[in-house]
Amino acid sequence: MRDVSIIGIGQTPVGEHWDKSLKDLAGQAVQAAIEDAHVDRVDALYVGNMLSGVLSGQEHLGALVGDWVGLRGVEAVKVEAACGSGAAALRLGYIAVAGELADFVVVAGVEKMTDRPGPQVTAALAMASDGDFEAQNGLSFVALNALLMRRYMHEYGVQHRDFAPFTINAHKNAVANPKAIFPHAVTTEDFCSARMIADPVNLLDSSPVCDGAAAVVLCPTEIARSFTARPVRILASSSATDTIALHDRRDLLGLEAASLSSAKAYRQAKLTPADIDLFELHDAFTIMSVLSLEACGFAERGRGVRLASDGDIAIGGQIPITTMGGLKARGHPVGATGIYQVIEVALQLRGQAGANQVPEARLGMAQNIGGSGATVVTTILEAAG
């Protein structure tokens, strides 16, 4: 297999893009990534998306986006893995280049969520849960995460207020991110007084419904420097699954797919958690930040909350997370999120994160989660030497 590197990145601001269609958003990100990569040839296009059919009345995104950006004729498909669709698409692009099936691959993620009423979006997102036993009985994703959060609080004697530093950190970092939907700071008081959605999850525990698109260009590492002075090498790409329904899991708080996926990535990259300089985790809800940190080996069980309260997740801390705002404050356009995460790691490793730059960042990890932990894709990236 060949080594694979990212040579181009492109992203739209995350927000409510009522004036842009699904293909407009995707096209903007794809064209920006191709321009950044300085390539005049593309062999394949993979588009991560979850909700285009139900919310936009549009499937067949691979061909649609490919035609829209002038790539008619190339292999092009949509990839769906719930909220993990973006990273799942990236993994397919990685496999294509590593396996010598393609030399230049564009991987995009796109989602349009704000054109429909809230209840319709909530119902659409619930399709990533178990349709027979969870969605059918009225469990939204907020409710599922509320169950996880309540159980965690019970098991480890944690108070809801203890989760506030995750939200505060995300919003602090979003202030310097021009792509973020919520580039403003919040306080502990803001967090504790926020409107309750599904007890104990409140509004500031939760990532927003929004629109956005992001894209990267991949090529073999051996030729990457012909296109950019700062390629970012993909050291590891791994995926794992767990049961879709929470009630079927052997360990409710163990986030087993995240543990399996990260363990495979560490082995592939020949690294340990201590080697990682920053971690873009899937903070769709604050409880997922805690469970991810523990599942990936950055904290012992029941101790993930302490990483935030002790300041270890801040830029310059032991394991910086959500360095550009994360899902909470940058935004969570679900099918695009996995690509935004990888781009944010790439910006850190290229030394282009501005005021949010992690000092001497060389190794970064991104983890994209589908559903309440049923699909987890982990990517480890390295700065060019």
Side-chain angles (χ1 to χ4, degrees), residues 9 52 57 82 93 119 121 141 145 156 183 205 234 248 265 286 297 313 315-316 319 323 331 336 342 375:
I9 60 177
S52 66
V121 176
F141 263 100
N145 280 272
Y156 302 115
D205 282 303
I234 299 178
D248 284 332
T286 52
I313 64 169
I315 292 170
I319 180 64
T323 64
V342 166
T375 298

Side-chain angles (χ1 to χ4, degrees), residues 195-259:
R195 176 170 57 88
M196 191 61 65
I197 303 175
D199 193 10
V201 172
N202 72 18
L203 189 65
L204 287 182
D205 282 303
S206 314
S207 58
V209 168
C210 49
D211 311 325
V216 296
V217 180
L218 310 179
C219 82
T221 297
E222 62 188 15
I223 61 172
R225 285 196 181 274
S226 300
F227 301 93
T228 177
R230 290 178 284 197
V232 174
R233 181 185 172 203
I234 299 178
L235 281 184
S237 171
S238 67
S239 183
T241 56
D242 199 351
T243 67
I244 291 181
L246 291 183
H247 65 260
D248 284 332
R249 296 194 182 164
R250 291 174 293 190
D251 182 354
L252 187 62
L253 299 178
L255 212 58
E256 186 171 333
S259 179

Side-chain angles (χ1 to χ4, degrees), residues 69-138:
V69 298
L71 298 179
R72 189 181 302 176
V74 306
E75 173 188 349
V77 295
K78 170 183 170 177
V79 181
E80 187 277 318
C83 307
S85 298
L90 180 71
R91 178 160 166 75
L92 291 186
Y94 168 82
I95 290 170
V97 176
E100 302 185 35
L101 301 175
D103 290 323
F104 299 96
V105 172
V106 176
V107 182
V110 62
E111 205 72 71
K112 280 279 290 179
M113 305 171 70
T114 66
D115 289 354
R116 301 295 179 184
Q120 187 174 345
V121 176
T122 297
L125 288 167
M127 293 191 301
S129 64
D130 187 307
D132 292 330
F133 295 103
E134 292 179 328
Q136 187 72 21
N137 289 293

